[in-house]
Amino acid sequence: MMKSAGHTLFASLTPVRSVILKNHGRFSSNFIYRYPAKSRKLHHYHQKCQSHKESIMVATRYPPPWFSVAPMMEYTDNHFRTLARLISKHAWLYTEMIAAETIVHQKGNLDRFLAFGPEQHPIVLQIGGSDLENIAKATQLANSYGYDEINFNCGCPSPKVAGKGCFGVRLMLDPKFVADAMSVISANTDVPVSVKCRIGVDDRDSYDELCDFIYKVSSQSPTKHFIIHSRKALLNGISPKENRSIPPLKYEYYYALVRDFPDLRFTINGGINTIDEVNTAIREGAHGVMVGRAAYNNSWNLLGHVDSAIYGAPLSSITRRQVLEKYQVYGDSVLGLYGPKPNVRDLIKPLLGFFHSEPGNGLWKRKADAAFLHCTTVKSFFEETLVAIPDSVLDSPITAAPIGFTDVFSDAKRLLPPPPNTVREEELLYA
């Protein structure tokens, strides 16, 4: 696959020997890429650079990030993003989280992890990690692929990530390291950077503690954009899936952040499933909305309304059949690109919610199970299975958007926590 146009590195960046300022138990003196000095003046320079990057990107290149599709492990891969872009031209797309160590160790095989088609813009690369040297190197290696933003994962509760991996949501307990990581990422790229996090971890879940994390990261790094999953994470005893439903949603924390940090940008995430809910969240003051499983499991009905209902574009006349025809061309062009992968099953996986709640959906899935056993192309798979779907479904354009539950956001605005206890900037910057 072709790489997108790359970005040049900052010319002033040089490899220097740097000692991590705080002993995190897993770091030592490491060879990392960063600016030779760290000072308040440099910090303000970083802030100016970040603001300039964001203003250029949002104002001149792409629509504002009012709507984005969440990074989801094993879901938001190249295949799903290709399908999503066929349905919506304006939604911001995120990659799966890719560990910095994976990027560094797969240096000779990067296309498999980082390549994407140019039509996928605007697209954000999400990386995770707990080693500053690898984070710096991974950022540099990703530059040539031309992502529009780099996001750092501080929200994944998976035991593989937050437990043994010591990154993901566990990093919320160490805002100083997150600030260092964001500074390293920003110093090694010329695109905006952002953090995705939860509202707390285990019993560290007060609004004051969330504000402390946001303030320290934003004041000690160029980070000006935070994606807030409005649940806390429970690291012991429940699965990642349960972490998406058992901890209660606290949208009031999100809207309080918007109130208390007027110079930052916040995207709300968690429990939002319809376009109606997206627009209501924005009307209530959200800077942007990120949707996860609903965009994957019901892609046609949700992504199909993004451009018109959120961005004001004319309602698209494209049909499911037309989307599938274009997707089939893509799918058959990448079959076996990396040896046995991707196979037909990999390429059809993003389509399993394409006919959500439509006549013939159940029969189509049963036919799909049988076709996976012998079909060797996407074209032959479609020829064998799409007979289950009525023409009226395949050839109908996008219809009215489904109604969602919208009162939760107005309720949240009435439940805002009080502003955080004030802490002197000097104490936070040099704690």
Side-chain angles (χ1 to χ4, degrees):
M1 294 184 64
M2 296 294 292
K3 297 180 184 178
S4 300
H7 295 275
T8 58
L9 297 174
F10 282 121
S12 60
L13 285 178
T14 54
V16 298
R17 176 69 61 174
S18 176
V19 178
I20 306 305
L21 299 179
K22 182 177 179 181
N23 182 7
H24 295 270
R26 54 192 183 278
F27 305 110
S28 58
S29 176
N30 282 316
F31 187 70
I32 67 172
Y33 288 81
R34 62 194 309 173
Y35 285 95
K38 185 175 182 181
S39 65
R40 282 191 179 184
K41 184 179 293 186
L42 182 59
H43 167 66
H44 291 310
Y45 172 75
H46 278 317
Q47 288 182 312
K48 282 186 178 181
C49 288
Q50 177 74 0
S51 176
H52 179 63
K53 296 174 195 174
E54 291 182 346
S55 65
I56 290 177
M57 179 188 67
V58 173
T60 65
R61 295 189 64 192
Y62 302 117
W66 292 332
F67 180 93
S68 55
V69 179
M72 293 176 282
M73 293 290 292
E74 300 181 357
Y75 290 95
T76 51
D77 56 15
N78 225 337
H79 316 316
F80 170 76
R81 297 195 309 267
T82 298
L83 174 67
R85 186 58 75 220
L86 289 172
I87 303 171
S88 169
K89 303 304 180 187
H90 296 327
W92 281 66
L93 305 177
Y94 279 63
T95 68
E96 305 173 83
M97 185 199 73
I98 306 175
E101 287 74 12
T102 298
I103 297 174
V104 172
H105 296 150
Q106 294 287 336
K107 186 176 179 179
N109 191 29
L110 285 180
D111 279 5
R112 182 170 185 171
F113 299 93
L114 296 176
F116 61 91
E119 73 284 347
Q120 289 187 30
H121 291 287
I123 180 172
V124 180
L125 169 65
Q126 187 186 67
I127 63 174
S130 57
D131 180 276
L132 293 180
E133 179 181 358
N134 281 334
I135 290 170
K137 290 179 178 178
T139 303
Q140 290 190 326
L141 289 169
N143 276 329
S144 64
Y145 289 87
Y147 285 93
D148 301 301
E149 184 175 314
I150 297 180
N151 177 263
F152 190 55
N153 185 314
C154 296
C156 180
S158 168
K160 295 180 181 179
V161 172
K164 182 179 179 181
C166 290
F167 59 101
V169 74
R170 189 175 293 277
L171 292 180
M172 287 194 70
L173 303 176
D174 194 350
K176 180 62 173 63
F177 172 76
V178 176
D180 285 346
M182 297 308 294
S183 294
V184 164
I185 293 170
S186 183
N188 284 278
T189 187
D190 59 355
V191 299
V193 297
S194 59
V195 167
K196 188 174 190 293
C197 63
R198 294 260 180 155
I199 60 171
V201 183
D202 294 331
D203 59 351
R204 301 282 296 276
D205 61 352
S206 71
Y207 180 65
D208 276 2
E209 288 168 308
L210 175 60
C211 287
D212 182 66
F213 174 81
I214 298 295
Y215 184 83
K216 287 179 177 178
V217 173
S218 63
S219 65
Q220 298 179 51
S221 79
T223 311
K224 298 296 170 230
H225 179 202
F226 293 82
I227 297 101
I228 307 295
H229 186 146
S230 302
R231 290 184 174 94
K232 72 174 182 178
L234 297 172
L235 295 183
N236 296 311
I238 67 173
S239 68
K241 181 178 180 180
E242 291 170 324
N243 255 304
R244 296 193 298 269
S245 59
I246 291 178
L249 286 162
K250 291 189 175 182
Y251 294 133
E252 60 268 26
Y253 278 24
Y254 169 82
Y255 283 106
L257 290 175
V258 172
R259 175 197 66 194
D260 295 330
F261 294 88
D263 295 332
L264 302 181
R265 182 158 58 91
F266 295 99
T267 295
I268 191 171
N269 173 230
I272 300 173
N273 297 310
T274 70
I275 290 295
D276 199 21
E277 293 168 359
V278 171
N279 274 328
T280 302
I282 293 172
R283 283 196 299 270
E284 291 292 337
H287 300 151
V289 180
M290 175 176 279
V291 177
R293 260 64 188 179
Y296 191 94
N297 295 330
N298 193 5
S299 55
W300 179 255
N301 286 321
L302 195 138
L303 296 177
H305 293 94
V306 167
D307 296 355
S308 58
I310 297 175
Y311 289 94
L315 188 64
S316 174
S317 60
I318 197 169
T319 66
R320 283 185 174 96
R321 191 190 300 276
Q322 291 168 332
V323 168
L324 292 175
E325 287 171 351
K326 294 178 180 179
Y327 188 78
Q328 178 251 304
V329 173
Y330 159 77
D332 283 336
S333 73
V334 300
L335 268 173
L337 189 61
Y338 305 107
K341 294 285 189 174
N343 57 33
V344 171
R345 186 183 293 271
D346 298 327
L347 289 157
I348 299 303
K349 181 181 175 182
L351 292 169
L352 294 180
F354 195 58
F355 300 110
H356 179 80
S357 297
E358 295 289 359
N361 183 45
L363 177 59
W364 179 74
K365 288 184 176 180
R366 291 193 293 273
K367 284 183 171 293
D369 286 338
F372 285 140
L373 299 177
H374 59 269
C375 285
T376 58
T377 66
V378 176
K379 182 178 180 180
S380 64
F381 177 91
F382 283 162
E383 289 172 347
E384 182 167 328
T385 62
L386 288 180
V387 294
I389 304 297
D391 288 344
S392 59
V393 174
L394 288 170
D395 296 322
S396 295
I398 296 162
T399 56
I403 302 299
F405 298 98
T406 60
D407 57 343
V408 292
F409 302 109
S410 56
D411 289 346
K413 295 293 288 290
R414 291 193 293 268
L415 298 172
L416 297 184
N421 295 324
T422 57
V423 180
R424 287 190 304 143
E425 183 176 347
E426 292 286 331
E427 293 174 345
L428 287 175
L429 281 174
Y430 299 103

